[in-house]
C-alpha cells in the first residue's frame, strides 16, 4: 500500500526531522516567550531564557505545563496569538469543571487537518473514497479533525456526527462508504447492527480509523472480522490539537507521531526525569508549529513507550504504543474525559456528601457510567417525588459537567466500600 | 391531632425490608400501618408504629435514614363509596393528596385512612364541614 500524504516529512531521515525540530523549537520558544506571559513567568522562575534553547537537546530545560496550568490560565492565559488571528476553538472537559478551551489560527487548523489527512492516507484513503465521519461534531475534536483531514485528501466526506444508527447505516449502504471514522465502541456497535439487519453484503467499507478511547487487540479483531475491514488506531488530545497527533499505519504496531509538529518525550511521572526512548513513562508533547495554543512540554498523563524501530510502511516518524494507563485518575468514558473531582464538585454543589463511587463498565461494547451516592437524613424525604426530582437534578448537573449521561444510584449510608478509611472511588469493570 | 409517621429510606436489595421489620420485632414494636413507594432503585417505607418514639430510636441506632412527619388519620365509613365521597370532596378543593394508605385497624364500621396532604389546615376545615374529624393517636392506641 505505502501511500503517504506528505512523503517529504513522513519518510524523511532522522537527521532531516531533527534539523526541522531544532529550528522550529528555537523559533517556537521565542514566540511563546514574547506572546504568552503565563509561560514566560514559568520560564523565568526556572531561570531559562529563549537563548538557552538551541535545539531539542535543550528541551529538558523548559518547564512543564499541566492540566492545573490550563485551569489556572483559563481561558486566555496560554493564548499565543492575537484573538483577531484565531478562527476556531475546540474544547474538552477539565479536572474540576473548567473546560479546556484550545484556540486555533487558520494555520493551526491547517496543520491539524494535515495530520488527520496523513492518518487517512496511511489507511488507504484517496479522492476516490467515501469517508463516513461518525465522531461527534461540535466542541469535541473528533468530528472536526477527521472531517478536515478527509477534505484535504479529497474523499467524499459524510459529516454524520455520532449516533442515529439508522441514518448511519442508510448512508453507509446507499452512498457506499469505504472509510469509517468513529470511536471503537461505536464501530463495534455499528458492526453488530449491520449483522442484525443482514446488511453485511451491502457495505463497502475497507478501513476504519477508531480513536478517542481505549480498545484492545481483541476488540480490533472483532471489528475487523465484523465489518470485513482493517481497523486502525489514532491518538490525539485537544490540548495539542486533536486526533492525528499520532496515527497507525498498515503495520498496526503503534502510532507514528507527527513529530515535525509535536516533539514527544517520555518522563518519569513522579520525578519528572526524562527517560530514554524505549522506557515506559508519561508522554509529554511540545508543539513546535502551533501559533494560538502553543503548549510546550505538556504533560499528557498518558503512560506509553516510544520506539524508533524501522517500520515496514516506510515512515520514519517515531512511534508510540497505545496508552497503557494514566498517571492521574482520569477516566475515558465514551471517548469523554471524566475526572472524579468533577463528580465530587457537582455532588457538593447539589448538597450531597462527597462520599461516592464511580462504576464504569462496558455493556455491549458501549461504556456505561454509574455514580453511587449515599443518602443523607437532610436529603431524605417521606415523599418519593421529592427524591426523584432531586435525583433528576443531579443527573442533569452531572450531564452539564461531564458532557455525558451518568446514571445516579442513591444508596443507604455506609454502603460504599471503604478501604483503610478511604473510600474506593473508582471501579472500572471494563476489560480492555 | 396528628399521628406520627416514620419514613425509612430503602435501598432496592434483597432482605432490606426484612431487616427493618426484624429490627422492629426485636424491639417489640407493632406496626399499625405500612406503605411503600418505590422506583426501580430505591424506595420509601412509611410506617405507623404503636410506639413511634421507640421505633424512631431503634431505626436511628441501626443507622437507617429516617424522617418523622405528622400525618392525618381519618375514619371513613367501611362501605362502598365510603372513601370515594371524601376524595370527591378533596378533588373539588385546593387540597392535594401527596400520598395516602390505609391503617390495619378497622372498628365501628369504620376504615381508617392515612393522609399526607399539601394544606393541612384547609384539609381539617374540609373534614369538619363534612362531619369528619381526624383521629387522635390515643384513639388508635398509639404512643
Amino acid at each position: 500500500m505505502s501511500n503517504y500524504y506528505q512523503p517529504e516529512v513522513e519518510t524523511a531521515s532522522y537527521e532531516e526531522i531533527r534539523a526541522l525540530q531544532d529550528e522550529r523549537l528555537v523559533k517556537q520558544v521565542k514566540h511563546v516567550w514574547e506572546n504568552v506571559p503565563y509561560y514566560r513567568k514559568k520560564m523565568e522562575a526556572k531561570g531559562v531564557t529563549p537563548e538557552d534553547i538551541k535545539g531539542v537537546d535543550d528541551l529538558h530545560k523548559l518547564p512543564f505545563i499541566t492540566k492545573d496550568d490550563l485551569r489556572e490560565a483559563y481561558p486566555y492565559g496560554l493564548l499565543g496569538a492575537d484573538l483577531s488571528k484565531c478562527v476556531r476553538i475546540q474544547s474538552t472537559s477539565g479536572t474540576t469543571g473548567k473546560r479546556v478551551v484550545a484556540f486555533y489560527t487558520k494555520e493551526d487548523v491547517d496543520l491539524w487537518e494535515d495530520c488527520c489527512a496523513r492518518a487517512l492516507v496511511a489507511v488507504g484513503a484517496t479522492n476516490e473514497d467515501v469517508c463516513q465521519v461518525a465522531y461527534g461534531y461540535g466542541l469535541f475534536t473528533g468530528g472536526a479533525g477527521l472531517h478536515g483531514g478527509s477534505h484535504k485528501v479529497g474523499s467524499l466526506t459524510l459529516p454524520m456526527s455520532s449516533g442515529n444508527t439508522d441514518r448511519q447505516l442508510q448512508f453507509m449502504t446507499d452512498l457506499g462508504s469505504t472509510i469509517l471514522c468513529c470511536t471503537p465502541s461505536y464501530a463495534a456497535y455499528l458492526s453488530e447492527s449491520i449483522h442484525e439487519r443482514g446488511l453485511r453484503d451491502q457495505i463497502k467499507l475497507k478501513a476504519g480509523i477508531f480513536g478517542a478511547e481505549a480498545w484492545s487487540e481483541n476488540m480490533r479483531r472483532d471489528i475487523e472480522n465484523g465489518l470485513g475491514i482493517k481497523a486502525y488506531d489514532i491518538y490525539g488530545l485537544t490540548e495539542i490539537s486533536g486526533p492525528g497527533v499520532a496515527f497507525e499505519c498498515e503495520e498496526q504496531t503503534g502510532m507514528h507521531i507527527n513529530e515535525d509538529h509535536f516533539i514527544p518525550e517520555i518522563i518519569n511521572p513522579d520525578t519528572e526525569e526524562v527517560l530514554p526512548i524505549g522506557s515506559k513513562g508519561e508522554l509529554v508533547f511540545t508543539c513546535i508549529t502551533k501559533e494560538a495554543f502553543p503548549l510546550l512540554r505538556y504533560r499528557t498523563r498518558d503512560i506509553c513507550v516510544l520506539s524508533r524501530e524501522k517500520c515496514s510502511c516506510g515512515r520514519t516518524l517515531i512511534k508510540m504504543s497505545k496508552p497503557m494507563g494514566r498517571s492521574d485518575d482520569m477516566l475515558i468514558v465514551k471517548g469523554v474525559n471524566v475526572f472524579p473531582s468533577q463528580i465530587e464538585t457537582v455532588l457538593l454543589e447539589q448538597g450531597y456528601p462527597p462520599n461516592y463511587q464511580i462504576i464504569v463498565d462496558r455493556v455491549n461494547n458501549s461504556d456505561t457510567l454509574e455514580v453511587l451516592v449515599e443518602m443523607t437524613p437532610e436529603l431524605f424525604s417521606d415523599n418519593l417525588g421529592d427524591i426523584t426530582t432531586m435525583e433528576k437534578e443531579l443527573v442533569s448537573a452531572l450531564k452539564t459537567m461531564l458532557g455525558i449521561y451518568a446514571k445516579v444510584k442513591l444508596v443507604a449510608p455506609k454502603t460504599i466500600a471503604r478501604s483503610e478509611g478511604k473510600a474506593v472511588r473508582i471501579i472500572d469493570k471494563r476489560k480492555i | 391531632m396528628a399521628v406520627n409517621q416514620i419514613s425509612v429510606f430503602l435501598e432496592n436489595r434483597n432482605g432490606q425490608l426484612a431487616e427493618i421489620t426484624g429490627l422492629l420485632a426485636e424491639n417489640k414494636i407493632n406496626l399499625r400501618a405500612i406503605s411503600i413507594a418505590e422506583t426501580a432503585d430505591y424506595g420509601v417505607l412509611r410506617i405507623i408504629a404503636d410506639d413511634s418514639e421507640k421505633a424512631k430510636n431503634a431505626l436511628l441506632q441501626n443507622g437507617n435514614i429516617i424522617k418523622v412527619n405528622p400525618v392525618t388519620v381519618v375514619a371513613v365509613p367501611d362501605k362502598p363509596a365510603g372513601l370515594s365521597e371524601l376524595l370527591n370532596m378533596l378533588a373539588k378543593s385546593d387540597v392535594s393528596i401527596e400520598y395516602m394508605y390505609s391503617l390495619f385497624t378497622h372498628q365501628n364500621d369504620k376504615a381508617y385512612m392515612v393522609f399526607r396532604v399539601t394544606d393541612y389546615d384547609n384539609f381539617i376545615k374540609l373534614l369538619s364541614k363534612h362531619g369528619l374529624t381526624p383521629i387522635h393517636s390515643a384513639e388508635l392506641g398509639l404512643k
Side-chain angles (χ1 to χ4, degrees):
Chain A
M1 188 162 66
S2 288
N3 293 315
Y4 314 111
Y5 180 67
Q6 289 167 317
E8 69 284 4
V9 177
E10 294 176 63
T11 60
S13 70
Y14 172 66
E15 290 70 29
E16 285 170 318
I17 283 286
R18 184 57 191 260
L20 195 62
Q21 288 180 336
D22 285 339
E23 182 200 322
R24 287 177 170 178
L25 175 65
V26 170
K27 208 173 134 208
Q28 181 73 313
V29 171
K30 202 161 163 278
H31 168 75
V32 171
W33 175 268
E34 283 162 8
N35 294 285
V36 187
Y38 184 92
Y39 195 77
R40 182 181 180 141
K41 276 199 199 95
K42 283 183 86 99
M43 283 177 68
E44 284 168 347
K46 236 187 151 210
V48 193
T49 64
E51 288 70 46
D52 296 320
I53 310 300
K54 299 193 168 59
V56 179
D57 284 338
D58 299 318
L59 191 56
H60 69 275
K61 294 176 185 167
L62 291 169
F64 290 106
I65 297 178
T66 63
K67 263 226 164 35
D68 288 340
D69 287 313
L70 299 189
R71 191 175 62 225
E72 208 177 301
Y74 175 90
Y76 296 124
L78 288 160
L79 191 63
D82 199 85
L83 271 182
S84 64
K85 276 204 77 192
C86 296
V87 297
R88 170 96 67 85
I89 66 148
Q90 301 286 160
S91 175
T92 186
S93 50
T95 42
T96 52
K98 266 198 188 148
R99 297 183 66 87
V100 172
V101 173
F103 300 85
Y104 302 72
T105 62
K106 264 185 196 158
E107 289 72 18
D108 292 338
V109 172
D110 195 49
L111 76 86
W112 173 28
E113 292 178 352
D114 277 344
C115 291
C116 290
R118 287 180 194 175
L120 281 158
V121 171
V123 309
T126 68
N127 57 6
E128 306 284 320
D129 281 292
V130 179
C131 182
Q132 181 158 351
V133 182
Y135 276 116
Y137 276 62
L139 289 172
F140 178 51
T141 52
L146 272 307
H147 179 99
S150 174
H151 264 218
K152 288 222 165 193
V153 176
S155 303
L156 179 63
T157 310
L158 312 188
M160 303 299 300
S161 196
S162 55
N164 199 338
T165 302
D166 287 337
R167 196 172 63 189
Q168 299 279 0
L169 297 182
Q170 193 193 337
F171 277 80
M172 190 181 283
T173 49
D174 291 355
L175 297 177
S177 305
T178 51
I179 307 227
L180 174 65
C181 306
C182 61
T183 58
S185 51
Y186 195 52
Y189 181 75
L190 286 174
S191 169
E192 277 168 32
S193 306
I194 285 166
H195 283 263
E196 277 165 19
R197 298 171 198 201
L199 296 173
R200 185 68 166 73
D201 294 342
Q202 295 176 50
I203 63 160
K204 299 195 175 69
L205 290 177
K206 61 179 188 188
I209 293 183
F210 309 121
E213 64 187 17
W215 51 314
S216 62
E217 283 304 317
N218 276 342
M219 195 165 170
R220 190 207 296 264
R221 270 193 297 277
D222 284 351
I223 295 171
E224 290 192 332
N225 293 335
L227 292 172
I229 62 167
K230 291 274 264 176
Y232 298 94
D233 204 352
I234 190 165
Y235 175 89
L237 57 170
T238 309
E239 297 90 318
I240 301 304
S241 67
V245 171
F247 62 97
E248 223 171 30
C249 62
E250 65 213 45
E251 209 185 81
Q252 295 183 319
T253 53
M255 295 172 275
H256 290 286
I257 295 172
N258 285 312
E259 57 179 326
D260 54 326
H261 297 300
F262 318 110
I263 303 178
E265 294 172 276
I266 291 289
I267 64 162
N268 175 327
D270 302 321
T271 64
E272 299 191 334
E273 170 202 3
V274 179
L275 303 175
I277 284 183
S279 321
K280 185 171 158 180
E282 183 182 328
L283 183 60
V284 173
F285 277 115
T286 295
C287 303
I288 49 176
T289 47
K290 280 174 63 192
E291 301 169 327
F293 209 57
L295 301 190
L296 305 182
R297 301 198 88 199
Y298 179 65
R299 292 187 58 173
T300 65
R301 296 287 176 184
D302 282 324
I303 303 290
C304 73
V305 176
L306 297 178
S307 160
R308 272 223 185 267
E309 267 175 50
K310 199 167 151 49
C311 185
S312 62
C313 76
R315 281 179 191 79
T316 47
L317 298 171
I318 193 167
K319 275 155 90 170
M320 62 177 276
S321 67
K322 249 183 209 300
M324 301 156 175
R326 298 276 305 171
S327 65
D328 60 9
D329 54 4
M330 185 179 95
L331 291 160
I332 301 183
V333 184
K334 293 181 183 166
V336 174
N337 302 348
V338 173
F339 292 92
S341 54
Q342 291 176 303
I343 292 172
E344 194 167 322
T345 305
V346 173
L347 290 175
L348 290 170
E349 275 171 13
Q350 300 274 321
Y352 289 86
N355 207 20
Y356 61 94
Q357 195 165 56
I358 301 165
I359 300 177
V360 189
D361 205 347
R362 189 164 278 182
V363 181
N364 296 327
N365 279 315
S366 182
D367 291 341
T368 60
L369 175 63
E370 186 176 38
V371 182
L372 267 53
V373 190
E374 288 186 354
M375 184 52 111
T376 68
E378 293 74 30
L379 295 168
F380 181 57
S381 163
D382 59 315
N383 197 336
L384 191 69
D386 295 345
I387 305 177
T388 51
T389 302
M390 197 176 84
E391 191 188 7
K392 275 185 198 139
E393 280 166 6
L394 178 58
V395 168
S396 148
L398 284 169
K399 176 101 202 269
T400 305
M401 174 69 94
L402 305 174
I404 53 168
Y405 168 74
K407 180 180 158 57
V408 167
K409 191 170 176 188
L410 295 168
V411 297
K414 297 189 184 73
T415 46
I416 290 173
R418 290 166 173 80
S419 58
E420 292 162 15
K422 197 168 176 272
V424 181
R425 291 265 174 258
I426 304 167
I427 298 177
D428 197 338
K429 294 177 174 172
R430 293 175 294 189
K431 289 181 184 67
I432 296 167
Chain B
M1 291 262 243
V3 168
N4 278 337
Q5 166 195 269
I6 302 173
S7 312
V8 189
F9 177 71
L10 288 184
E11 243 185 274
N12 189 0
R13 65 174 162 83
N14 250 351
Q16 208 356 178
L17 197 52
E19 191 185 301
I20 290 167
T21 50
L23 175 78
L24 296 173
E26 263 172 49
N27 287 276
K28 310 245 174 329
I29 293 159
N30 196 12
L31 293 180
R32 308 302 292 271
I34 184 164
S35 116
I36 295 179
E38 84 284 339
T39 70
D41 293 319
Y42 55 87
V44 178
L45 167 73
R46 307 184 189 110
I47 56 172
I48 291 180
D50 59 352
D51 188 337
S52 65
E53 195 59 28
K54 204 165 144 193
K56 180 182 124 184
N57 291 334
L59 287 162
L60 281 177
Q61 245 170 34
N62 190 47
N64 287 102
I65 288 200
I66 65 163
K67 203 135 227 161
V68 181
N69 299 96
V71 288
T72 314
V73 176
V74 182
V76 296
D78 187 13
K79 57 168 195 182
L83 179 61
S84 173
E85 280 166 22
L86 174 58
L87 296 188
N88 277 333
M89 168 186 98
L90 284 177
K92 287 177 202 137
S93 77
D94 289 336
V95 179
S96 297
I97 301 170
E98 290 188 27
Y99 54 80
M100 58 166 269
Y101 52 99
S102 61
L103 219 67
F104 302 147
T105 317
H106 159 102
Q107 35 184 279
N108 308 329
D109 297 327
K110 301 278 185 195
Y112 293 83
M113 299 301 299
V114 182
F115 285 91
R116 173 101 154 118
V117 296
T118 49
D119 185 344
Y120 176 76
D121 292 341
N122 233 333
F123 183 52
I124 301 301
K125 272 185 209 153
L126 280 169
L127 287 177
S128 70
K129 240 192 224 170
H130 288 75
L132 295 168
T133 46
I135 307 296
H136 288 262
S137 299
E139 287 178 68
L140 296 166
L142 306 177
K143 272 195 239 175

